[in-house]
Amino acid sequence: MIGQCVIKGRIHYVQATKFPIYRGNEIAGLVGYFIDRDSIGKIRRDNQELDMKDAETGLLNYRGMFITAIHYFDNYKSYGENCAALFMDIPALDDVGRLYGMAVRKKLISRLAKLISHFFRQGASIAHLGGGRFCVLMKAENTADIRRRMLDLSNEIHGIREEAGRQVTLFLQYALAMISEARTVDGLFHLLARRLTEAEQEKYGESLYYGDRIAFDRAVFDNSRDQIMISDPDTYSLLYMNKAGLRDLGLPEDYPYAGRKCYELICGQPSPCEICPLPFLRRDRFYTQTFHNMNTGGDYLIQHTLITWHGKNGHFELATNLGSYAEGDYRKKYLLFQEMAVNDALAAGITAPTPHEGIDRLLARVGKILEAEKVCIFEEQGDGTVKNTYEWCAPGIPPSQASMQHVPMELARPIYDRFGPDQIAIIDDVEEVQKEYGICSGDYRPGLKRLISGHLVISGLSLGYTEVVNPSDKIMKEASPLLDTLTRFAASLIRNRNVMDRLQALSHEDQLTGLKNRLAFMEYVEGLPAGTKTAFLFGDMNGLKQINDKEGHEAGDRALQTLAAIAGELVGRDHAFRMGGDEFILAAQGADEERAQQLAAELKGKLHLQNLSMALGIACRTAPITDIDELIMEMDRKMYKDKKHPRK
């Protein structure tokens, strides 16, 4: 048992344990002991804090950071929230200790710890790993802001010129990685350590303040629109190729290009190109040439130079696809059309009176913009199936929503597997993909030739997907940005719909019993179709006050819940209403007076088995019922008559 007691003038939580002592077969007494839970908890917390805290700075130590990183990693795997990790090193800190003594080093490291904590004070986990090394973990989706902060922090650290009257010169080296780049925490820390070693070898931190070197972050190359390639000028082996270069060659972003000969992979030739510019390359200038690639059919403007790459000479090429720029005017016009189309679709969804109608309007706009036959929304049901909840059809296209209510998730797997980083899937040949997955076309949707799909995601949670069926060929390839925006908006509308539906349900539901409430009863009666015969049983539970007084209100609540469960089983939970307190109404559609009496007898019998009873009044009506108050008053009079002279 857990209880409270006063120890030295302060309330403590204590844990009491007791068990019987037997003499023969009889209990002769009790023996027990008490544990001060507050005291044990404090000792445990103190030990844990000492075990995870760096004594020199008060920040986390390596063990504390590793445990924290595990939590960040679990959060990323569960919810998709990305995280940035930084390794920082100030190598000169150890030199300060050797030159000026540990007292000066201690003051300087405390100053640096406060400075780093100031730069990453909001929501970041900071650790001191020994010497001049620090680690920072924080939630982040991109690195742009972090790199700006690191530049400012580098300037602040380099601006420290003296400590305790001693002259110092400090440089900050750092490495940055995202949790999404690694599969494990160990992998993340190994990646950071490797990048930090490379940064220290190249002296990136120092190059910010002296010399004529310019340090480019690799992300600048990775995300460049133009194609960037680095190769070994001695062996022609590829050392680096960015995403644009791989895309231009029709290769996936994870293609293992390292070590391939540049002339083989890029030009499809068995030997170096005749116009290879290697003899003309220098470090102090670019060599420029135009080049028609027979392998890709593209025309390029290429800039060549020599750079240092991992401590060795590298042949750097920046290639601009001239054909893509020739299409610039067309792209601008099409993007303008897309922007107008998106705004039109968003306005249609926002101005709708309900989320349901907003989704319908949104699908209609998407279908017309993309010249599709159908636009649908499939929502995950939590039982291994997806359900077609919304559908728009072009004129002359028959609907299929009714037949797509329990679609096994396996039939939708080709779509989920093709969602890329932008959460859009484009399938040019549905029949070919279905063959790949062993799916018969008749199993899913006949007549489906091509489709575009957007992944419906809210806060990392998958809700389902949109499906644009047989869109226009000429628009399909350019539809991704438009569908991405509209799919995100559709996910927001679905979330709003769910919230409003839940609020609507709560406003019509009795929270204690789970039955419908008085408001729901009024709407139920008003909504009965004309000519519908319905028997109503109005009941008042007997003895609820006595149960509350003798056994407590929790016992009274349990009695009401038992009654509600029996009533719900008898007529269905959507036809049983708690009107307030101990009053209930049961509605039996299609029942006459005789059937109502049978239901009343059955109800009383089941309640009797639970040591409960209820006085009942019965009234029968044929819709429309114009005076609900008169109906309730009639049942109320009959109920009180039954309470004074109960029927068995």
Side-chain angles (χ1 to χ4, degrees):
M1 297 176 60
I2 304 298
Q4 294 179 332
C5 69
V6 176
I7 302 176
K8 295 183 179 180
R10 188 171 68 84
I11 294 177
H12 283 240
Y13 283 92
V14 295
Q15 175 180 305
T17 302
K18 59 184 178 180
F19 46 90
I21 296 175
Y22 287 88
R23 182 178 292 120
N25 293 326
E26 295 184 355
I27 295 175
L30 298 174
V31 65
Y33 56 88
F34 296 88
I35 296 174
D36 183 349
R37 291 170 62 90
D38 286 1
S39 175
I40 289 177
K42 183 177 184 304
I43 292 170
R44 185 182 295 114
R45 288 192 299 272
D46 289 346
N47 288 339
Q48 186 176 19
E49 186 174 346
L50 288 172
D51 201 27
M52 297 176 64
K53 183 182 288 186
D54 174 59
E56 198 169 22
T57 62
L59 302 174
L60 293 173
N61 59 17
Y62 187 89
R63 182 175 185 273
M65 178 54 65
F66 194 86
I67 292 172
T68 304
I70 291 173
H71 292 309
Y72 275 98
F73 217 91
D74 289 344
N75 192 59
Y76 169 69
K77 288 185 175 179
S78 299
Y79 306 107
E81 292 183 322
N82 215 344
C83 166
L86 279 162
F87 268 9
M88 292 179 274
D89 188 20
I90 305 156
L93 192 63
D94 292 329
D95 295 335
V96 170
R98 285 191 292 270
L99 287 172
Y100 304 132
M102 297 307 294
V104 176
R105 178 190 179 280
K106 185 175 181 180
K107 288 183 179 180
L108 184 56
I109 203 167
S110 176
R111 182 175 177 182
L112 291 168
K114 290 178 181 177
L115 183 60
I116 293 170
S117 298
H118 172 75
F119 268 83
F120 297 98
R121 59 184 179 274
Q122 293 184 348
S125 301
I126 307 173
H128 177 225
L129 307 181
R133 294 204 168 195
F134 295 83
C135 179
V136 179
L137 289 170
M138 72 197 84
K139 289 184 180 179
E141 293 301 326
N142 59 69
T143 61
D145 177 65
I146 297 172
R147 294 184 189 282
R148 285 194 294 269
R149 272 196 271 178
M150 289 308 299
L151 181 60
D152 293 339
L153 178 59
S154 296
N155 288 330
E156 289 281 346
I157 289 175
H158 187 61
I160 298 174
R161 298 301 184 185
E162 65 89 20
E163 181 60 55
R166 306 287 188 169
Q167 298 296 315
V168 296
T169 301
L170 305 177
F171 298 102
L172 172 67
Q173 308 284 4
Y174 79 91
L176 174 61
M178 303 298 289
I179 265 188
S180 56
E181 295 183 78
R183 294 185 177 180
T184 64
V185 174
D186 281 335
L188 177 67
F189 283 1
H190 286 149
L191 175 63
L192 284 167
R194 188 176 74 247
R195 289 181 179 176
L196 184 60
T197 299
E198 292 173 358
E200 290 173 338
Q201 289 173 347
E202 295 294 328
K203 297 185 180 295
Y204 288 139
E206 297 178 40
S207 67
L208 294 170
Y209 304 101
Y210 65 81
D212 56 1
R213 297 177 60 196
I214 300 174
F216 280 99
D217 194 287
R218 175 170 171 160
V220 176
F221 293 167
D222 288 342
N223 300 314
S224 171
R225 177 184 173 183
D226 292 322
Q227 300 158 40
I228 295 174
M229 182 193 78
I230 301 173
S231 59
D232 186 328
D234 297 325
T235 65
Y236 300 95
S237 297
L238 284 169
L239 304 173
Y240 172 80
M241 181 174 286
N242 71 348
K243 299 175 186 177
L246 291 168
R247 281 197 303 268
D248 190 65
L249 294 172
L251 300 173
E253 292 183 1
D254 59 352
Y255 182 80
Y257 59 80
R260 293 286 305 274
K261 303 297 184 184
C262 60
Y263 50 80
E264 290 177 348
L265 186 64
I266 298 173
C267 301
Q269 296 184 179
S271 58
C273 305
E274 293 181 1
I275 60 169
C276 182
L278 282 179
F280 309 103
L281 297 188
R282 289 169 39 177
R283 288 181 174 272
D284 59 348
R285 70 182 182 187
F286 278 103
Y287 176 78
T288 304
Q289 66 178 175
T290 58
F291 174 64
H292 178 77
N293 190 328
M294 300 293 291
N295 192 30
T296 65
D299 292 294
Y300 302 87
L301 176 69
I302 307 179
Q303 306 262 28
H304 304 265
T305 191
L306 288 176
I307 64 168
T308 299
W309 181 261
H310 295 285
K312 295 176 60 180
N313 263 345
H315 171 195
F316 176 90
E317 296 182 40
L318 187 149
T320 299
N321 189 327
L322 298 175
S324 66
Y325 283 89
E327 297 175 0
D329 289 341
Y330 163 76
R331 291 285 300 151
K332 288 179 181 178
K333 291 177 182 177
Y334 187 76
L335 290 173
L336 179 61
F337 161 73
Q338 280 205 337
E339 184 177 346
M340 294 171 62
V342 167
N343 290 338
D344 177 57
L346 295 181
I350 291 171
T351 57
T354 67
H356 291 281
E357 192 171 339
I359 294 171
D360 286 333
R361 291 185 182 180
L362 183 68
L363 297 191
R365 292 296 199 282
V366 172
K368 292 173 183 176
I369 293 168
L370 299 182
E371 301 176 14
E373 292 182 3
K374 290 183 182 180
V375 183
C376 309
I377 286 180
F378 285 81
E379 296 185 51
E380 297 173 10
Q381 299 303 297
D383 61 354
T385 67
V386 291
K387 177 181 180 181
N388 187 182
T389 51
Y390 298 90
E391 180 183 66
W392 170 87
C393 297
I397 302 297
S400 56
Q401 183 177 6
S403 62
M404 307 298 289
Q405 295 302 293
H406 302 285
V407 179
M409 187 69 79
E410 287 307 308
L411 294 182
R413 184 56 52 198
I415 295 176
Y416 280 94
D417 288 350
R418 279 163 174 74
F419 286 134
D422 59 355
Q423 299 299 321
I424 298 297
I426 299 178
I427 301 179
D428 295 298
D429 190 336
V430 171
E431 185 177 352
E432 190 65 29
V433 172
Q434 288 177 336
K435 287 180 182 178
E436 177 187 338
Y437 283 79
I439 298 172
C440 177
S441 60
D443 291 342
Y444 187 52
R445 191 197 294 277
L448 188 60
K449 302 173 185 174
R450 57 188 175 276
L451 65 83
I452 317 172
S453 180
H455 195 183
L456 293 163
V457 179
I458 286 288
S459 302
L461 178 66
S462 175
L463 305 179
Y465 56 91
T466 58
E467 189 178 86
V468 182
V469 176
N470 297 338
S472 167
D473 268 336
K474 62 184 179 182
I475 297 177
M476 185 167 175
K477 294 299 183 184
E478 307 294 339
S480 290
L482 180 145
L483 190 61
D484 177 41
T485 301
L486 297 182
T487 297
R488 292 173 188 271
F489 183 61
S492 298
L493 289 177
I494 289 173
R495 179 181 58 184
N496 293 344
R497 177 208 65 189
N498 292 342
V499 170
M500 292 185 68
D501 288 351
R502 181 58 183 152
L503 291 175
Q504 175 74 3
L506 289 174
S507 69
H508 288 67
E509 185 178 291
D510 176 59
Q511 297 303 296
L512 176 64
T513 64
L515 298 181
K516 301 296 184 182
N517 60 14
R518 176 181 289 272
L519 174 60
F521 173 72
M522 305 297 281
E523 293 184 1
Y524 170 80
V525 174
E526 291 171 354
L528 284 171
T532 303
K533 293 181 179 180
T534 306
F536 297 93
L537 287 74
F538 181 86
D540 182 278
M541 182 178 176
N542 295 321
L544 180 62
K545 185 177 185 306
Q546 288 80 357
I547 295 175
N548 287 333
D549 292 343
K550 291 182 179 180
E551 303 178 41
H553 285 276
E554 289 187 3
D557 289 346
R558 288 195 296 271
L560 289 169
Q561 289 167 343
T562 300
L563 190 155
I566 293 171
E569 289 177 2
L570 197 63
V571 296
R573 297 188 72 84
D574 289 341
H575 296 82
F577 307 87
R578 185 186 180 200
M579 303 300 285
D582 53 3
E583 295 180 345
F584 294 80
I585 290 181
L586 283 65
Q589 287 188 25
D592 55 14
E593 179 74 27
E594 181 180 355
R595 176 57 182 153
Q597 294 293 348
Q598 292 173 354
L599 288 172
E602 188 176 348
L603 176 61
K604 288 191 173 188
K606 290 186 176 184
L607 290 174
H608 180 71
L609 294 175
Q610 301 294 327
N611 295 319
L612 300 173
S613 66
M614 171 179 269
L616 291 169
I618 299 172
C620 296
R621 292 287 190 278
T622 300
I625 301 172
T626 57
D627 193 338
I628 300 176
D629 290 336
E630 188 276 330
L631 168 65
I632 295 175
M633 288 176 64
E634 178 184 340
M635 292 189 293
D636 191 53
R637 288 194 300 271
K638 292 180 178 180
M639 182 272 294
Y640 273 105
K641 183 178 179 181
D642 184 46
K643 189 177 282 287
K644 292 180 180 179
H645 307 286
R647 295 164 291 174
K648 296 185 179 179

